[in-house]
Coordinates of all heavy atoms in Angstrom, one line a residue:
A39 N -4.5 -7.7 -28.4 CA -4.6 -6.4 -27.8 C -3.4 -6.0 -27.0 O -2.9 -4.8 -27.1 CB -5.9 -6.3 -26.9
A40 N -2.8 -6.9 -26.3 CA -1.6 -6.7 -25.5 C -0.5 -6.3 -26.4 O 0.4 -5.5 -26.1 CB -1.3 -7.9 -24.6
R41 N -0.4 -7.0 -27.6 CA 0.7 -6.7 -28.5 C 0.6 -5.3 -29.0 O 1.6 -4.6 -29.1 CB 0.7 -7.7 -29.7 CG 1.8 -7.4 -30.6 CD 1.7 -8.4 -31.8 NE 2.8 -8.1 -32.8 CZ 3.0 -8.6 -34.0 NH1 2.1 -9.5 -34.4 NH2 4.0 -8.3 -34.8
A42 N -0.6 -4.8 -29.3 CA -0.8 -3.4 -29.7 C -0.4 -2.5 -28.6 O 0.3 -1.5 -28.9 CB -2.3 -3.2 -30.1
L43 N -0.7 -2.8 -27.4 CA -0.3 -1.9 -26.3 C 1.2 -1.9 -26.2 O 1.9 -0.9 -26.0 CB -0.9 -2.4 -24.9 CG -2.4 -2.4 -24.8 CD1 -2.8 -3.0 -23.5 CD2 -2.9 -1.0 -24.9
A44 N 1.8 -3.1 -26.3 CA 3.3 -3.2 -26.2 C 4.0 -2.5 -27.3 O 5.0 -1.8 -27.0 CB 3.7 -4.7 -26.1
D45 N 3.5 -2.6 -28.5 CA 4.1 -1.9 -29.6 C 4.1 -0.4 -29.4 O 5.0 0.3 -29.6 CB 3.4 -2.2 -30.9 CG 3.7 -3.6 -31.4 OD1 4.8 -4.2 -31.0 OD2 2.9 -4.2 -32.2
A46 N 2.9 0.1 -28.9 CA 2.8 1.5 -28.6 C 3.7 2.0 -27.5 O 4.2 3.1 -27.5 CB 1.3 1.9 -28.2
A47 N 3.9 1.1 -26.5 CA 4.8 1.5 -25.4 C 6.3 1.2 -25.6 O 7.1 1.6 -24.8 CB 4.3 0.8 -24.1
G48 N 6.6 0.5 -26.6 CA 8.0 0.1 -26.9 C 8.5 -1.0 -26.0 O 9.7 -1.2 -25.8
F49 N 7.6 -1.9 -25.5 CA 7.9 -3.0 -24.7 C 8.1 -4.2 -25.7 O 7.2 -5.0 -25.9 CB 6.9 -3.3 -23.7 CG 6.7 -2.2 -22.7 CD1 5.4 -2.0 -22.1 CD2 7.7 -1.4 -22.3 CE1 5.3 -1.0 -21.2 CE2 7.6 -0.4 -21.4 CZ 6.3 -0.2 -20.8
K50 N 9.3 -4.4 -26.1 CA 9.6 -5.5 -27.1 C 9.4 -6.9 -26.6 O 8.9 -7.8 -27.3 CB 11.0 -5.3 -27.7 CG 11.2 -4.0 -28.5 CD 12.6 -3.9 -29.1 CE 12.8 -2.6 -29.9 NZ 14.1 -2.5 -30.5
D51 N 9.8 -7.1 -25.4 CA 9.6 -8.4 -24.8 C 8.1 -8.8 -24.6 O 7.7 -9.9 -25.0 CB 10.3 -8.5 -23.4 CG 9.8 -7.5 -22.4 OD1 9.3 -6.4 -22.8 OD2 9.8 -7.8 -21.2
L52 N 7.3 -7.9 -24.2 CA 5.9 -8.1 -24.1 C 5.3 -8.3 -25.5 O 4.4 -9.2 -25.7 CB 5.2 -6.9 -23.4 CG 3.7 -7.0 -23.3 CD1 3.2 -8.3 -22.6 CD2 3.1 -5.8 -22.5
A53 N 5.7 -7.5 -26.5 CA 5.2 -7.7 -27.8 C 5.5 -9.1 -28.4 O 4.6 -9.7 -29.0 CB 5.8 -6.6 -28.7
R54 N 6.7 -9.6 -28.2 CA 7.1 -10.9 -28.6 C 6.3 -12.0 -27.9 O 5.8 -12.9 -28.6 CB 8.6 -11.1 -28.4 CG 9.5 -10.4 -29.3 CD 10.9 -11.0 -29.2 NE 11.5 -10.8 -27.8 CZ 12.1 -9.8 -27.4 NH1 12.4 -8.7 -28.2 NH2 12.6 -9.7 -26.2
A55 N 6.1 -11.8 -26.6 CA 5.4 -12.9 -25.9 C 3.9 -12.9 -26.3 O 3.3 -13.9 -26.4 CB 5.5 -12.6 -24.4
A56 N 3.3 -11.7 -26.5 CA 1.9 -11.6 -26.9 C 1.7 -12.2 -28.3 O 0.7 -12.8 -28.5 CB 1.5 -10.1 -26.8
K57 N 2.6 -11.9 -29.2 CA 2.5 -12.4 -30.5 C 2.6 -14.0 -30.5 O 1.8 -14.6 -31.2 CB 3.7 -11.9 -31.4 CG 3.7 -12.4 -32.8 CD 4.9 -11.9 -33.6 CE 4.9 -12.4 -35.0 NZ 6.1 -11.9 -35.7
A58 N 3.5 -14.5 -29.7 CA 3.6 -16.0 -29.6 C 2.3 -16.6 -29.0 O 1.8 -17.6 -29.4 CB 4.8 -16.4 -28.7
A59 N 1.7 -15.9 -27.9 CA 0.5 -16.4 -27.3 C -0.7 -16.4 -28.3 O -1.5 -17.2 -28.3 CB 0.2 -15.7 -26.0
A60 N -0.7 -15.3 -29.1 CA -1.8 -15.2 -30.0 C -1.8 -16.3 -31.1 O -2.8 -16.8 -31.5 CB -1.8 -13.9 -30.7
K61 N -0.6 -16.7 -31.4 CA -0.4 -17.8 -32.4 C -0.5 -19.2 -31.8 O -1.0 -20.1 -32.5 CB 1.0 -17.7 -33.1 CG 1.1 -16.5 -34.1 CD 2.5 -16.5 -34.7 CE 2.6 -15.4 -35.8 NZ 4.0 -15.5 -36.4

Side-chain angles (χ1 to χ4, degrees):
R41 183 183 177 187
L43 297 176
D45 286 338
F49 298 149
K50 294 182 179 180
D51 58 331
L52 176 57
R54 286 193 300 270
K57 180 180 179 181
K61 288 184 175 181

